[in-house]
Amino acid sequence: MEISLTEIIEIIKGSNDGIDAERKLQVYFSNKISDIMQLILEYIDDGLAEEYKKQGYRIEKRDLRTIQFLFGKVTFKRRRMKKEMEKALYPLDKEMGFISRETFSPLLLRNIAEIASGTVLRKTAQATALLTPFTISHTKVKAVLDTVGEFQQNYTENHLLDVTKLTEPKEKKNVPFLYIEGDGLMYKEIKKKRGEIHRIQIAEGVEKNGKRTRLTGTHYFSSTDSTEVAWSLVQNYLYLNYDLTNTLVISNSDGGSGYEFDKFNAVVQGCLRHEHVRDTYHVNQKIKQRLNFVPELQSPLKKAIQDHEREAVEAVLDTAESIIGDEQAAQLEEQIRRLRGYLSRNWEYLTPIYKRGLGEAAHGIGTCESNHRPYSYRVKGQGKYWSKKGLTHVVYVIEGLKNGTLDRAIIEQQPEYKKQASASYKAALKAAHKKVPHQTHEGVRHGSIPHVSRSSSTGNLSAIFNY
């Protein structure tokens, strides 16, 4: 089981080239680490068995289990134990966080799901085979992605959606600003139907790094069911984490169904002040679409809106109307009529941030569209069609990665999950440590200064040490 330098040298000597040698060494070290891990797990199981016996458990049998870790495959024996009037369990599986009936380790599940959330299944299988000592099929990658996505979905619903499990924390955040944005992302469902990912994000501020900026204190929410579900997640998250009494809330959206002002306002009741903004990107898209026949008037209209000058806006639209000829007149007049109506309905929300007296709070909105990218790059294009269930799992994995909750979501899948290691587990680790054979270490390496002329500086140093 010990790593042999002779064996390593023989592997290198018997290799065709450096790449061949590295591949063989990867297999060699993987096997060695797996052998060591097998022994350690069985040592820990021995210690857990003794600790659980003290609690009234008895050993029923000893079973083999194989788990594929990131470093290699490990086959080990562990005990199944039973206590009177309680369900039988495997102490080692419980304490180590091994998921029931799962052949992959928690970290391996997580890493495969992360890769698969950013690229297609076959590429994920290829990357896994290149970077780890085992291979995986694209169908197994899909199964892992679904498993981890379901874990994250359960975690989100248990912590934010199930109101029976929500408890108000003792201390909440007090922040000067809070930015909330929402938008939908369309995707293609199987049978050529169209579905929508309902997305909402919050942020506490902006941090500059040179010329680039990034949001701070972010949290992202998604639902493939409805905006109502997404807003429920947001409302419960804000309730659990923030005291908005002294907070200025700035919200931003395109005003589409489910993202109106009243939806944002409902989740920030009690805040110091709430300012709602119509998203600039979508306003510009609307102008481009409606004034496609007079592109030279698009910039003047954008400037008039930016200055929030109603008369200037009307002047540009009147000019556009005067240019319309007889051909397609009815259609173009309808486009201008609809653009007038859009700007009129949203005029209050088109007031520029700098004219609202918000000062430094003006730089934290308008990023929701760009934050679609992790989702849109994965679920759109290349002729992709999704089942709603499969799409939901991908969305939850991406969300878990962005929110930093994916690790916890996987760990909590153990029914006996506890945040702190049990006393039995700590005692078993101590017992396992005592079983490890003692290894001698050379504490001090002895050396000497070679004989040199006494007149040199090295000679003088040698004389000092040998005095």
Side-chain angles (χ1 to χ4, degrees):
M1 189 174 295
E2 293 182 357
I3 293 176
S4 168
L5 298 181
T6 303
E7 289 178 354
I8 294 173
I9 292 171
E10 289 300 319
I11 289 173
I12 296 173
K13 283 175 62 179
S15 301
N16 298 323
D17 48 47
I19 293 177
D20 184 42
E22 190 168 347
R23 286 192 181 120
K24 290 177 179 178
L25 288 172
Q26 181 189 34
V27 173
Y28 173 82
F29 287 117
S30 174
N31 291 336
K32 289 297 183 182
I33 294 172
S34 295
D35 291 342
I36 294 170
M37 193 65 183
Q38 173 197 348
L39 189 61
I40 295 300
L41 289 176
E42 291 180 355
Y43 282 168
I44 295 173
D45 187 65
D46 292 342
L48 286 171
E50 295 302 317
E51 293 298 319
Y52 273 67
K53 283 178 183 177
K54 298 175 184 177
Q55 301 172 31
Y57 284 87
R58 59 180 176 79
I59 299 172
E60 283 192 333
K61 57 181 178 178
R62 199 177 184 199
D63 291 334
L64 279 175
R65 183 174 184 182
T66 300
I67 295 179
Q68 179 69 58
F69 291 88
L70 199 60
F71 51 77
K73 184 180 291 186
V74 180
T75 300
F76 56 94
K77 290 182 179 180
R78 85 275 198 243
R79 295 168 179 82
R80 175 185 167 98
M81 303 188 73
K82 180 80 168 63
K83 188 176 183 180
E84 197 68 31
M85 304 299 292
E86 291 190 17
K87 189 177 179 180
L89 54 79
Y90 291 94
L92 183 66
D93 293 0
K94 170 188 171 183
E95 301 291 352
M96 291 294 295
F98 297 148
I99 300 168
S100 178
R101 294 181 293 278
E102 178 56 63
T103 57
F104 286 178
S105 72
L107 178 60
L108 187 56
L109 285 174
R110 181 216 176 279
N111 287 1
I112 292 174
E114 179 174 357
I115 299 172
S117 71
T119 188
V120 295
L121 304 179
R122 292 183 187 277
K123 282 293 183 183
T124 302
Q126 182 182 14
T128 303
L130 289 172
L131 299 174
T132 65
F134 76 100
T135 59
I136 183 173
S137 68
H138 71 281
T139 54
K140 180 60 177 177
V141 172
K142 175 66 166 62
V144 169
L145 185 59
D146 286 337
T147 297
V148 176
E150 189 173 349
F151 289 168
Q152 179 62 48
Q153 183 178 6
N154 293 339
Y155 177 90
T156 300
E157 292 176 353
N158 289 339
H159 286 264
L160 289 179
L161 204 56
D162 189 348
V163 294
T164 63
K165 297 181 179 180
L166 299 180
T167 54
E168 188 169 358
K170 294 180 180 179
E171 188 174 347
K172 298 183 180 183
K173 290 184 182 179
N174 286 279
V175 294
F177 308 113
L178 196 67
Y179 305 92
I180 308 179
E181 298 188 60
D183 196 12
L185 177 66
M186 305 302 295
Y187 69 94
K188 295 178 181 178
E189 284 191 359
I190 295 172
K191 298 182 181 179
K192 297 188 177 180
K193 295 192 298 183
R194 292 179 69 81
E196 184 174 0
I197 304 170
H198 309 282
R199 292 193 56 250
I200 303 168
Q201 66 180 45
I202 69 169
E204 296 175 5
V206 177
E207 183 179 78
K208 287 190 176 182
N209 182 13
K211 294 183 179 180
R212 299 177 66 89
T213 59
R214 71 176 188 89
L215 296 177
T216 60
T218 57
H219 203 88
Y220 303 88
F221 310 85
S222 307
S223 173
T224 54
D225 292 325
S226 65
T227 53
E228 286 77 13
V229 174
W231 282 117
S232 294
L233 295 172
V234 175
Q235 187 171 32
N236 291 337
Y237 181 82
L238 293 177
Y239 162 76
L240 290 172
N241 293 279
Y242 292 96
D243 177 0
L244 300 178
T245 307
N246 299 307
T247 301
L248 166 61
V249 176
I250 302 177
S251 58
N252 178 64
S253 76
D254 63 357
S257 177
Y259 302 101
E260 303 89 349
F261 166 75
D262 63 298
K263 301 291 185 182
F264 290 88
N265 202 48
V267 300
V268 295
Q269 293 295 315
C271 69
L272 178 65
R273 179 181 173 187
H274 178 202
E275 291 286 342
H276 187 65
V277 180
R278 189 59 67 238
D279 185 64
T280 302
Y281 171 82
H282 289 93
V283 173
N284 291 340
Q285 288 295 103
K286 189 72 70 175
I287 293 171
K288 185 177 180 180
Q289 179 186 3
R290 300 301 184 203
L291 295 185
N292 60 338
F293 64 99
V294 279
E296 66 274 12
L297 293 180
Q298 293 177 13
S299 292
L301 182 57
K302 292 176 184 177
K303 178 67 166 57
I305 293 172
Q306 184 179 0
D307 295 337
H308 210 241
E309 296 289 343
R310 190 66 176 266
E311 291 182 1
V313 168
E314 291 297 330
V316 174
L317 295 179
D318 290 342
T319 303
E321 278 185 321
S322 68
I323 296 174
I324 296 175
D326 294 335
E327 188 178 349
Q328 294 182 320
Q331 177 187 339
L332 299 181
E333 287 173 357
E334 176 63 14
Q335 287 183 197
I336 293 178
R337 186 192 69 79
R338 295 179 68 177
L339 182 56
R340 282 185 193 274
Y342 173 80
L343 296 177
S344 178
R345 290 192 305 272
N346 293 285
W347 190 249
E348 177 187 356
Y349 309 127
L350 292 173
T351 306
I353 290 290
Y354 73 88
K355 285 195 172 186
R356 304 191 191 198
L358 301 182
E360 62 181 289
H363 305 290
I365 58 172
T367 64
C368 192
E369 192 72 28
S370 61
N371 280 323
H372 278 336
R373 289 172 187 166
Y375 303 86
S376 60
Y377 285 176
R378 182 62 182 93
V379 307
K380 300 182 76 171
Q382 301 177 339
K384 294 173 185 171
Y385 288 85
W386 297 85
S387 68
K388 185 174 180 179
K389 184 177 181 181
L391 187 280
T392 299
H393 291 154
V394 171
V395 168
Y396 271 109
V397 170
I398 295 173
E399 181 186 293
L401 289 167
K402 289 172 74 67
N403 291 333
T405 58
L406 193 62
D407 290 10
R408 184 57 55 196
I410 296 172
I411 292 171
E412 287 194 10
Q413 288 313 295
Q414 278 293 80
E416 305 89 353
Y417 163 77
K418 292 179 181 178
K419 290 186 178 180
Q420 301 295 329
S422 68
S424 298
Y425 183 54
K426 292 177 180 178
L429 288 176
K430 186 179 290 186
H433 189 269
K434 292 179 180 178
K435 282 192 172 186
V436 176
H438 177 69
Q439 296 175 315
T440 57
H441 299 278
E442 184 179 355
V444 178
R445 287 183 178 271
H446 297 277
S448 62
I449 299 175
H451 178 72
V452 291
S453 171
R454 181 69 181 268
S455 61
S456 67
S457 57
T458 306
N460 288 329
L461 181 63
S462 177
I464 293 172
F465 283 129
N466 294 325
Y467 176 74

